[in-house]
Amino acid sequence: MSEIIHKLEQLGFSSYEAKAYYTLIRKHPANGYEISKIGRIPAAKIYDTLNRLKIKGFIIESSTETGKYYPVPPGNLLSRVKEDFTALIDDLDVQLKETEPVPDIDLTMNLSGYDLFVEKMIQVIEKSRTTLLLSIWPEETMLLADPIAAAKRRGVTVVAAVFGSTPVESSYRINLEQCGVSSRARLGKRLTAIVSDHKEVVIGEIDQAGDTEGIWTTTPGIVLVTKEYIKHDIWGNVLIDALGEVQFQKLCKNNPLLSYLMKNR
């Protein structure tokens, strides 16, 4: 009994309606008192329930026996319900296809804890389709190596700036070990960042104990700043190598703006 009642409810019957209709299938004609007792429907609810079933066309009140009810035959009822559901589904299909998409909105998620931070980086790498900009440390390359390699195999251009000599499969790679030494000295933490497809960023700081705080975001301003941060590190390293350390230091010393920026990093 309970299985049939449950299936009737799935077709849109209320619990009392399902019990009343099923009771009438088992015994008809029947009056309200009998339906209430057999179906275990509160007496205060039975006539309201029967009235709703009459309005829906699921039961019929006898024209010759006052207060007696008959069920609409199950085959007829299910055919009607099927037609109604089919029409509803067809209408809904059209309406959903015509629904206007919501404009893109900026999303941000705080990431607390190393495992969650790494998990989010992997998710972003796995979703990438065109480009990946990576600013990562040797400690994380081992955890990210497989998804990065998989991204490259599916045609993603991978630009990896690694603060150490640990290799990672990529389209372009640069060792920023000296940059990493300077960054860790200033922050006391490993600043790690990933930009995917120019629209999604994971960025965070990992301290020596592994405590991690970061964010995932699609906010365009943060995406742009993170991209420029990674590109700045790469360009700066290439330019310093091209100039030579002595010439670079001389340039910074002789240029007031560069001298100020170097002193206030």
Side-chain angles (χ1 to χ4, degrees):
M1 174 179 174
S2 60
E3 183 180 356
I4 294 175
I5 297 299
H6 178 65
K7 288 180 178 178
L8 287 170
E9 289 173 353
Q10 289 181 308
L11 292 178
F13 285 69
S14 72
S15 176
Y16 292 154
E17 289 171 353
K19 290 176 181 178
Y21 179 79
Y22 184 57
T23 296
L24 283 171
I25 292 295
R26 297 168 66 199
K27 176 180 173 26
H28 58 267
N31 60 34
Y33 175 79
E34 292 171 314
I35 298 168
S36 173
K37 287 298 182 182
I38 297 170
R40 297 181 181 178
I41 301 167
K45 298 289 185 181
I46 188 60
Y47 289 104
D48 180 55
T49 300
L50 292 172
N51 188 52
R52 289 201 307 272
L53 286 172
K54 281 172 55 181
I55 292 171
K56 291 178 179 180
F58 294 164
I59 65 171
I60 300 168
E61 187 172 4
S62 174
S63 59
T64 58
E65 300 176 273
T66 304
K68 295 279 189 174
Y69 298 88
Y70 293 82
V72 169
N76 294 354
L77 180 140
L78 293 176
S79 292
R80 273 191 48 199
V81 171
K82 185 177 181 179
E83 289 175 5
D84 291 344
F85 265 82
T86 300
L88 176 64
I89 290 169
D90 289 343
D91 287 345
L92 187 58
D93 181 52
V94 172
Q95 292 170 358
L96 288 174
K97 287 176 179 176
E98 294 176 348
T99 300
E100 293 292 330
V102 175
D104 288 341
I105 57 175
D106 303 337
L107 301 173
T108 299
M109 175 191 298
N110 291 323
L111 304 170
S112 184
Y114 186 74
D115 290 344
L116 179 60
F117 183 65
V118 171
E119 179 184 344
K120 195 63 182 177
M121 286 196 290
I122 291 173
Q123 289 175 0
V124 168
I125 292 168
E126 289 177 341
K127 288 195 304 178
S128 63
R129 291 294 174 264
T130 58
T131 59
L132 275 173
L133 282 177
L134 310 173
S135 179
I136 56 178
W137 296 75
E139 290 90 334
E140 282 67 61
T141 55
M142 300 304 295
L143 301 174
L144 303 177
D146 287 345
I148 291 172
K152 187 173 182 297
R153 286 195 298 271
R154 64 176 178 267
V156 177
T157 300
V158 180
V159 179
V162 184
F163 297 110
S165 59
T166 303
V168 61
E169 193 166 341
S170 56
S171 309
Y172 306 97
R173 184 172 71 245
I174 187 169
N175 184 338
L176 298 181
E177 187 167 3
Q178 285 306 115
C179 236
V181 170
S182 171
S183 174
R184 203 192 299 244
R186 292 198 310 273
L187 297 174
K189 300 177 181 179
R190 303 194 304 275
L191 182 61
T192 301
I194 291 177
V195 182
S196 172
D197 299 339
H198 306 291
K199 64 182 182 181
E200 191 174 7
V201 163
V202 181
I203 185 168
E205 294 180 331
I206 307 161
D207 69 17
Q208 293 183 6
D211 293 334
T212 307
E213 294 294 335
I215 64 165
W216 163 84
T217 186
T218 60
T219 302
I222 298 178
V223 173
L224 176 62
V225 168
T226 307
K227 282 170 54 180
E228 293 305 312
Y229 157 72
I230 297 173
K231 287 157 60 177
H232 167 273
D233 273 355
I234 295 171
W235 286 337
N237 187 268
V238 172
L239 289 173
I240 291 170
D241 285 347
L243 286 172
E245 183 67 26
V246 173
Q247 192 64 27
F248 173 71
Q249 293 296 339
K250 182 178 179 181
L251 176 64
C252 290
K253 181 178 180 181
N254 293 336
N255 184 297
L257 175 57
L258 293 180
S259 179
Y260 174 80
L261 292 176
M262 291 295 291
K263 291 176 182 177
N264 293 273
R265 289 188 292 174

